[in-house]
């Protein structure tokens, strides 16, 4: 997987050396549960997440240019790993950003880059996203990137946190 650069960001593969930074931000109880996962409890747990989850194709560490510190994650899940029932030529996108960086447009900038990659490099026809209604900022990120609210909500039993709460489903079709 290659690195993607935007105006302010570098989206790059996760490194084992990112474990301390990941723990620093992913242990915040305001971050993970908004995205469907529990706060990290140790650097070792963060390292395991990097090795077993973030090392898969389609997952990038979000880094502000000039810092070399991972401050979040953005990526896509192919249909076989999606929380949603989607076709093989479609994917689900997801993202989170560390709390000190909220409200700066970083998630929007990172997601726009991933949207472009998913359509122009991977050839997906439709991108899907979902968010908890109590986290409307996540929905706003998708709206700014062109996603449309489908009007549907669903339960995602595979989520580690919030598996019993509905998520709002968003969709973005490839524009020819």
């Amino acid at each position: 997987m290659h690195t993607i650069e935007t105006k302010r960001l570098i989206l790059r593969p996760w490194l084992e050396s990112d474990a301390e930074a990941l723990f620093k931000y992913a242990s915040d109880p305001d971050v993970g549960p908004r995205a469907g996962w529990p706060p990290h409890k140790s650097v070792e747990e963060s390292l395991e997440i990097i090795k077993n989850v973030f090392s898969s194709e389609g997952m990038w560490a979000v880094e502000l240019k000039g810092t070399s510190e991972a401050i979040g994650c953005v990526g896509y899940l192919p249909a076989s790993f999606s929380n949603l029932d989607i076709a093989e030529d479609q994917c689900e996108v997801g993202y989170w950003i560390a709390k000190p960086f909220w409200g700066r447009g970083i998630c929007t900038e990172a997601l726009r880059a991933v949207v472009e990659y998913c359509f122009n490099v991977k050839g997906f026809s439709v991108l899907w996203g979902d968010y908890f209604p109590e986290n409307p900022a996540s929905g706003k990120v998708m709206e700014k990137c062109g996603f449309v609210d489908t009007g549907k909500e669903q339960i995602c039993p595979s989520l580690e946190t919030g598996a019993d709460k509905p998520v709002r489903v968003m969709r973005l079709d490839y524009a020819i």
Side-chain angles (χ1 to χ4, degrees):
M1 190 172 73
H2 69 280
T3 298
I4 300 172
E5 286 197 38
T6 68
K7 183 178 179 183
R8 299 181 293 167
L9 307 173
I10 296 173
L11 308 183
R12 60 165 175 79
W14 282 89
L15 307 169
E16 290 185 14
S17 59
D18 292 322
E20 285 192 30
L22 176 58
F23 175 69
K24 176 169 74 172
Y25 296 125
S27 61
D28 185 327
D30 288 335
V31 176
R34 292 173 186 256
W37 44 269
H40 291 198
K41 293 177 177 47
S42 67
V43 173
E44 292 75 28
E45 179 185 8
S46 294
L47 178 59
E48 288 305 308
I49 299 280
I50 289 170
K51 289 178 179 178
N52 299 320
V53 180
F54 291 168
S55 65
S56 61
E57 180 187 342
M59 292 288 159
W60 288 270
V62 177
E63 175 186 306
L64 284 173
K65 284 185 176 176
T67 68
S68 74
E69 180 182 52
I71 59 165
C73 185
V74 64
Y76 68 88
L77 296 170
S80 57
F81 291 98
S82 176
N83 291 311
L84 307 170
D85 185 20
I86 59 177
E88 284 302 311
D89 67 336
Q90 302 175 3
C91 72
E92 178 184 352
V93 298
Y95 45 86
W96 65 268
I97 200 76
K99 192 173 181 180
F101 303 95
W102 288 0
R104 294 179 171 184
I106 292 170
C107 271
T108 302
E109 188 173 330
L111 183 58
R112 279 190 181 122
V114 169
V115 164
E116 185 177 312
Y117 180 86
C118 285
F119 285 143
N120 298 330
V121 176
K122 297 303 290 182
F124 292 115
S125 64
V126 178
L127 307 184
W128 297 88
D130 53 67
Y131 67 96
F132 292 114
E134 61 271 16
N135 184 13
S138 186
K140 294 279 186 212
V141 167
M142 284 184 261
E143 285 176 5
K144 289 176 187 175
C145 293
F147 285 74
V148 177
D149 190 331
T150 64
K152 295 178 183 161
E153 289 191 355
Q154 79 170 56
I155 300 290
C156 297
S158 63
L159 294 177
E160 289 184 67
T161 300
D164 58 338
K165 299 187 307 185
V167 293
R168 197 94 178 137
V169 179
M170 305 284 282
R171 175 185 177 128
L172 178 61
D173 290 275
Y174 181 73
I176 297 172

